[in-house]
Amino acid sequence: RAVFYNLLRPGLVKRWAMENNKGLSSDAFTRWGLSDPNRVTHCRVVMNATQLLYDVVIPEFVMVFCECALWKCYTNMRNKVEGNAKMQDPNEFIQGGILNDLAQEFLVVTHAHGINYRHLGRARMVMVEKIKKEKDREGLLELVMSIIVARSMKNMIKKEFRDVIRSKGYRVRESEQPYKEIIVKHLNSLFNFTVAGGLFWRSYQSEEGPQQQLGMKNFINERFRYALKQEEEEINYDIRDSCNVRMVYVYLISLLGATLKSLSASSLWRTYNQNEAHPIQRVVFFRTDVAAIAEKVRAGGLSDFMIGGKALGEYVEMTKKMQ
């Protein structure tokens, strides 16, 4: 049940306790709280804390991030790049260092304010309403959508990783080939701007019949409610037009703990022009372009299970020696 994982961040719980001089019940909305005579009050208080998050905390966060030093640095560099349509030299901005730093900084500031990433859609909605400067507003909307798309792609990729382990029985330390193929498939989808390739990014359902596949907008609406603006929900709108595709790429690779060969990465910066709606030519990745994938990412659940089993074994041996 969602009550066990859709939790409030510690920062928000602490703020509620300080402002209201009382805490929140961890049994609210669970069966453990059914026998509590104050269960209705406990549930109502948690609902009030959630409303504080929606009405006060998220709008505060949006305004604070606008003053973030890294955000100002990013916008300044972004303006310089946009002002020079012929810029091809892959400086720090183009190479993506600051793109990943900005995405990571956004995570730190978001969590510091007590906001879970699942509320990014609501934060994006607040940006549309609260930020008056069009350039700042559009830049922040692009940043948030880039993070949303990257995290959605990460979830899709990791689900396919788990499917590989279940269906084919690949061990944690066996060949990386099936995992590399999954990553390459999604990277090529990200940079495929052909009509057929854009179907996944424009629609809620990319194919019909037995091969039916949900489109990116379905994933976004399911995990990040309120993220899409009205025009972005239109069936012919390509959601990549609301992203910085370079940032999606850089942040996704970071989330996956993957390493790509420098030659394939540099070719991306040469062929993809940020000033155009589409790349100069289609960027294509191959399995050999993926140099390595972090073991924790490839088989996170299985890896945790093995570590837990090892710890349990050590505990059992230790208790035997103590007896």
Side-chain angles (χ1 to χ4, degrees), residues 102-162:
L102 185 64
Q104 300 292 349
E105 177 72 8
F106 190 86
L107 170 63
V108 171
V109 178
T110 302
H111 283 175
H113 279 75
I115 303 171
N116 297 80
Y117 254 27
R118 68 177 181 273
H119 296 303
L120 284 185
R122 191 176 290 269
R124 197 168 186 264
M125 179 180 68
V126 171
M127 290 172 184
V128 174
E129 299 171 351
K130 298 288 185 181
I131 302 178
K132 303 304 179 185
K133 287 185 179 179
E134 183 178 355
K135 202 155 195 175
D136 285 346
R137 182 175 65 250
E138 294 306 316
L140 278 169
L141 291 176
E142 178 188 87
L143 166 66
V144 176
M145 184 54 72
S146 300
I147 293 173
I148 286 174
V149 168
R151 295 187 76 86
S152 297
M153 292 183 71
K154 180 210 72 170
N155 290 336
M156 286 185 272
I157 290 171
K158 293 188 75 172
K159 180 184 181 301
E160 292 188 33
F161 283 0
R162 293 192 295 271

Side-chain angles (χ1 to χ4, degrees), residues 80-263:
K80 289 178 183 178
V81 173
E82 288 182 346
N84 186 352
K86 296 181 180 180
M87 181 179 282
Q88 294 294 326
D89 182 29
N91 55 29
E92 183 183 9
F93 171 79
I94 299 299
Q95 286 286 15
I98 194 172
L99 299 181
N100 188 49
D101 290 346
L102 185 64
Q104 300 292 349
E105 177 72 8
F106 190 86
L107 170 63
V108 171
V109 178
T110 302
H111 283 175
H113 279 75
I115 303 171
N116 297 80
Y117 254 27
R118 68 177 181 273
H119 296 303
L120 284 185
R122 191 176 290 269
R124 197 168 186 264
M125 179 180 68
V126 171
M127 290 172 184
V128 174
E129 299 171 351
K130 298 288 185 181
I131 302 178
K132 303 304 179 185
K133 287 185 179 179
E134 183 178 355
K135 202 155 195 175
D136 285 346
R137 182 175 65 250
E138 294 306 316
L140 278 169
L141 291 176
E142 178 188 87
L143 166 66
V144 176
M145 184 54 72
S146 300
I147 293 173
I148 286 174
V149 168
R151 295 187 76 86
S152 297
M153 292 183 71
K154 180 210 72 170
N155 290 336
M156 286 185 272
I157 290 171
K158 293 188 75 172
K159 180 184 181 301
E160 292 188 33
F161 283 0
R162 293 192 295 271
D163 291 342
V164 165
I165 294 173
R166 291 193 190 102
S167 64
K168 298 186 178 180
Y170 285 101
R171 296 177 182 175
V172 175
R173 298 187 183 276
E174 262 189 36
S175 170
E176 291 184 342
Q177 178 175 333
Y179 307 102
K180 290 180 177 181
E181 288 174 350
I182 291 170
I183 290 177
V184 165
K185 178 185 74 173
H186 286 273
L187 288 179
N188 285 331
S189 170
L190 177 63
F191 290 102
N192 184 355
F193 286 89
T194 63
V195 175
L199 189 59
F200 171 76
W201 300 93
R202 294 194 305 271
S203 63
Y204 291 84
Q205 176 181 310
S206 59
E207 293 184 22
E208 297 181 356
Q211 299 299 319
Q212 186 181 97
Q213 180 186 4
L214 298 179
M216 175 56 75
K217 293 180 184 179
N218 245 314
F219 286 94
I220 293 174
N221 279 339
E222 182 180 328
R223 293 167 177 80
F224 301 96
R225 293 178 61 191
Y226 311 112
L228 297 178
K229 297 189 293 182
Q230 185 175 353
E231 60 267 28
E232 291 169 342
E233 292 181 344
E234 297 295 328
I235 195 68
N236 291 321
Y237 187 93
D238 191 321
I239 202 64
R240 289 172 296 183
D241 292 340
S242 296
C243 302
N244 181 321
V245 181
R246 282 197 183 103
M247 178 178 287
V248 174
Y249 164 80
V250 172
Y251 188 43
L252 175 62
I253 295 300
S254 172
L255 290 171
L256 293 173
T259 304
L260 266 74
K261 294 179 180 177
S262 58
L263 184 62

